[in-house]
Amino acid sequence: MSKKSKKLTTGVATLVAPASHAAIVPVRDRHLRFNERWNYSPAPEVHTDIKIQPRYDLFIGGKFVKPSSGKYFPSINPATEKQHAEIAQGTAADVDKAVKAARRAYEKTWGKMPGRERGKYLFRIARLLQEKMRDLAVIESLDGGKTIRESRNIDLPLVAAHFFYHAGWADKLDYAFPGRKPQPLGVAGQIIPWNFPLLMAAWKLAPALACGNTCVLKPAETTSVTAMHLAEILAEADLPEGVVNIVTGFGDTGAAIVNHPDIDKLAFTGSTEVGKIIAKSVAGTRKKLTLELGGKAANIICEDAPIDQAIEGIIQGIYFNQGHVCCAGSRLFVQESIVEPVIRRLRNRLSTLRVGDPLDKNTDIGAINSREQLGKIREMVESGKKEGAELFQPACKLPSKGFFFAPSFFTGVTDSHRIAQEEIFGPVLSVMTFRTPEEALERANNTPYGLSAGVWTDKGSKVFKLATQLRAGVIWAETYNKFDPASPFGGYKESGFGREGGKQGLLSYLKLG
Ligand code: NAP
Ligand code: MG
């Protein structure tokens, strides 16, 4: 047989298998051993028709206004490192203007409006989001680095679903809490991170508005562009002026919202570090607070689990979305008797993951959101190596420009390693082993966090036992990272408090008379 590779064309993909092996390896194993050679032709999403504006202003009182500082900061595409827009740098004076606009809107229109009328606006926003979904997904990927597959198939449908779901609640709040009289809180200050930019905005705005509150929202500095496109949608939906105000900027802009005396409610999603600062600032004030913070989720695979399915769950849980997920299953606990097949399959599957252009529909892992975040991931991986854990990374060519990190996992990890304790927030998994479910449970709970967890076993009774004892706000069984607006989401311990989504999430934006 010739030494040259033989190309098998299969419609969408080309399997390049070395001819010397092709004849002797059974088809299934051939998949496992050579799937790293599946090469797809590029399939980039066309985006020449989609315009990112060169400059975005603040959205206050229903109008786009210049920041009082007159300053703008660059927003870059993390896959190319090229600047594609300038974002207004909001100051404390701009935040004050936004809070005043929100207060006026609360007192004059939104706070008094019957729920059925508020619901109509929310339905209108949801429909406009649906109409513009493709454009928004592309912009989300260009601005934040996440894959188009993720932004198109997960983020945007969920964004619209959150508005639809909460539109449905707007006129039914009295029935949600029988015998009680639900009332809005007033002006909500909302601060969000960069990992799900538009989805986090939807998580914050939709329930607040459904409950009759008005909002001042601050997106993360690296991902403000889609929030400003959302502002355009709000204006197009004729949402009364001042009901939603969006002030872009840095951490100090967020702090100005936190410390503004006329804010009634604060909702923050981001790091535990900033969450603690906010909790201290708010202590002793009348402001109601909810915090959605970091996580270090345990994904537990028992020996009776369907392994192939579990491997897909792991991939979904930590590698898709570049590991930029607070509830990522970043600690993998594998029962000792199945360690060998799990590790083998994990290596094989990692070798098939494609890292690169976020706008290519075949890309599994896009760009890391920022240079700073890439630096944090690299530093954590170095610490893992120094502490004695063993790193696996498939041979994979990263693009020469942009912020990229190869999918990786560590074995030989102990509970005391930093990579087992601290959030990495990148496509890096720490694999550990356990002997009994009781041991898995104890070690899974041995963390300051408690946002989420995963359980894989063939036995419903075992799922029930583990799920009821895991100290985490969300537990997935036989799946991972699935979201629904009707399902409450939130943490235990240092992962925060309060819930978003579902009926429970409404309580974060209401007082019950
Ligand atoms: P971050 O630094 O805490 O930032 C979150 C938001 O807070 C950003 O808008 C940020 O502005 C702003 N901010 C920074 N300092 C502030 C301050 N002193 N006062 C008020 N606001 C301030 O977090 P990140 O790096 O953007 O996001 C990653 C973290 O978020 C991870 O730890 C992750 O686990 C967590 N997260 C949690 C959830 C959840 O639902 N539990 C969801 C997503 C992310 P700048 O962008 O200008 O810094
Ligand atoms: Mg950006």
Side-chain angles (χ1 to χ4, degrees):
M1 252 185 221
S2 108
K3 284 255 158 64
K4 261 184 147 185
S5 295
K6 190 167 81 183
K7 282 197 168 189
L8 306 172
T9 303
T10 58
V12 284
T14 307
L15 171 63
V16 186
S20 55
H21 295 278
I24 48 167
V25 180
V27 172
R28 193 179 152 70
D29 278 3
R30 202 178 333 148
H31 261 290
L32 289 178
R33 289 170 58 182
F34 298 125
N35 50 9
E36 69 268 31
R37 306 204 182 144
W38 281 88
N39 280 322
Y40 287 82
S41 291
E45 179 81 19
V46 178
H47 63 279
T48 43
D49 55 327
I50 295 169
K51 294 273 171 291
I52 291 190
Q53 295 166 28
R55 179 175 266 199
Y56 290 90
D57 285 317
L58 308 172
F59 184 64
I60 299 176
K63 294 186 184 63
F64 290 93
V65 296
K66 301 207 175 311
S68 61
S69 65
K71 289 188 192 153
Y72 293 80
F73 61 90
S75 181
I76 65 160
N77 175 341
T80 61
E81 300 180 44
K82 285 200 186 121
Q83 175 175 335
H84 54 209
E86 281 187 329
I87 309 289
Q89 190 176 329
T91 61
D94 298 314
V95 167
D96 186 51
K97 257 183 14 196
V99 174
K100 287 198 171 107
R103 176 63 59 194
R104 267 196 309 278
Y106 178 69
E107 282 168 2
K108 295 217 166 98
T109 52
W110 201 251
K112 290 186 191 157
M113 194 182 277
R116 63 177 183 279
E117 294 303 318
R118 290 199 305 270
K120 287 182 197 166
Y121 284 101
L122 291 178
F123 276 121
R124 202 180 294 164
I125 295 165
R127 283 195 298 269
L128 284 168
L129 281 162
Q130 265 187 329
E131 270 172 33
K132 298 173 197 290
M133 216 175 245
R134 191 186 88 86
D135 290 17
L136 290 167
V138 170
I139 298 172
E140 197 77 307
S141 287
L142 284 168
D143 194 37
K146 63 170 57 195
T147 61
I148 186 70
R149 220 171 55 196
E150 190 92 4
S151 51
R152 184 194 57 194
N153 297 356
I154 297 175
D155 292 46
L156 262 299
L158 279 171
V159 169
H162 268 269
F163 277 96
F164 277 118
Y165 174 80
H166 288 97
W169 269 125
D171 62 348
K172 299 175 196 72
L173 296 171
D174 287 341
Y175 308 100
F177 308 101
R180 308 293 300 271
K181 187 127 190 56
Q183 295 289 330
L185 299 172
V187 176
Q190 306 178 313
I191 301 167
I192 55 174
W194 43 259
N195 56 346
F196 289 91
L198 207 45
L199 184 56
M200 286 299 116
W203 275 30
K204 297 282 179 277
L205 296 176
L209 298 179
C211 293
N213 305 277
T214 55
C215 304
V216 177
L217 175 82
K218 189 198 102 62
E221 66 191 63
T222 55
T223 53
S224 297
V225 173
T226 44
M228 300 324 295
H229 283 258
L230 176 62
E232 282 169 9
I233 289 176
L234 301 177
E236 196 179 333
D238 274 336
L239 190 71
E241 60 180 45
V243 172
V244 172
N245 306 274
I246 304 182
V247 185
T248 46
F250 301 135
D252 56 346
T253 315
I257 296 177
V258 171
N259 296 316
H260 196 287
D262 202 28
I263 292 273
D264 300 295
K265 147 88 192 175
L266 274 166
F268 171 79
T269 297
S271 61
T272 297
E273 191 191 345
V274 174
K276 285 181 182 174
I277 298 174
I278 294 178
K280 279 188 198 143
S281 315
V282 168
T285 70
R286 69 189 164 86
K287 292 170 193 165
K288 193 167 166 175
L289 176 66
T290 43
L291 296 173
E292 301 279 5
L293 309 175
K296 192 74 192 172
N299 202 1
I300 301 172
I301 306 199
C302 301
E303 58 194 358
D304 54 0
I307 295 182
D308 286 337
Q309 206 177 314
I311 296 291
E312 282 316 303
I314 297 165
I315 299 296
Q316 185 134 52
I318 180 86
Y319 296 109
F320 290 164
N321 203 15
Q322 301 72 244
H324 292 343
V325 189
C326 48
C327 46
S330 55
R331 286 184 300 156
L332 180 68
F333 287 97
V334 186
Q335 197 151 12
E336 257 180 23
S337 54
I338 54 163
V339 167
E340 191 275 323
V342 168
I343 297 292
R344 179 163 40 85
R345 282 172 216 216
L346 201 54
R347 279 169 179 260
N348 282 328
R349 185 66 178 94
L350 249 60
S351 308
T352 69
L353 294 177
R354 295 174 199 83
V355 186
D357 180 7
L359 280 186
D360 191 311
K361 289 163 219 153
N362 295 321
T363 299
D364 297 302
I365 301 181
I368 302 300
N369 183 260
S370 63
R371 186 185 297 281
E372 191 193 356
Q373 186 58 28
L374 181 60
K376 282 188 196 167
I377 297 169
R378 285 185 176 148
E379 191 273 320
M380 283 300 291
V381 168
E382 281 312 307
S383 93
K385 288 200 275 189
K386 268 200 206 112
E387 288 187 314
E390 194 183 323
L391 179 69
F392 171 80
Q393 275 178 340
C396 113
K397 200 162 169 276
L398 300 180
S400 55
K401 268 265 169 229
F403 314 132
F404 292 92
F405 198 84
S408 316
F409 70 80
F410 278 106
T411 49
V413 181
T414 70
D415 291 341
S416 62
H417 285 163
R418 276 183 67 205
I419 51 168
Q421 291 282 332
E422 296 174 30
E423 231 182 354
I424 303 178
F425 227 61
V428 183
L429 179 67
S430 299
V431 185
M432 291 172 276
T433 61
F434 67 92
R435 288 189 182 162
T436 62
E438 288 71 25
E439 183 197 339
L441 197 57
E442 194 184 315
R443 290 172 54 203
N445 285 339
N446 184 18
T447 157
Y449 295 114
L451 193 56
S452 57
V455 180
W456 298 84
T457 160
D458 198 30
K459 310 264 181 307
S461 57
K462 217 187 273 178
V463 170
F464 191 68
K465 181 174 171 190
L466 288 170
T468 48
Q469 293 180 58
L470 279 164
R471 304 272 297 152
V474 182
I475 296 159
W476 288 286
E478 318 296 345
T479 185
Y480 208 92
N481 268 354
K482 292 281 184 290
F483 300 94
D484 189 290
S487 170
F489 183 91
Y492 276 51
K493 302 190 273 185
E494 290 190 22
S495 291
F497 49 78
R499 293 292 177 264
E500 291 187 309
K503 193 173 101 174
Q504 291 85 342
L506 299 173
L507 284 171
S508 304
Y509 288 98
L510 289 170
K511 49 182 179 274
L512 296 182

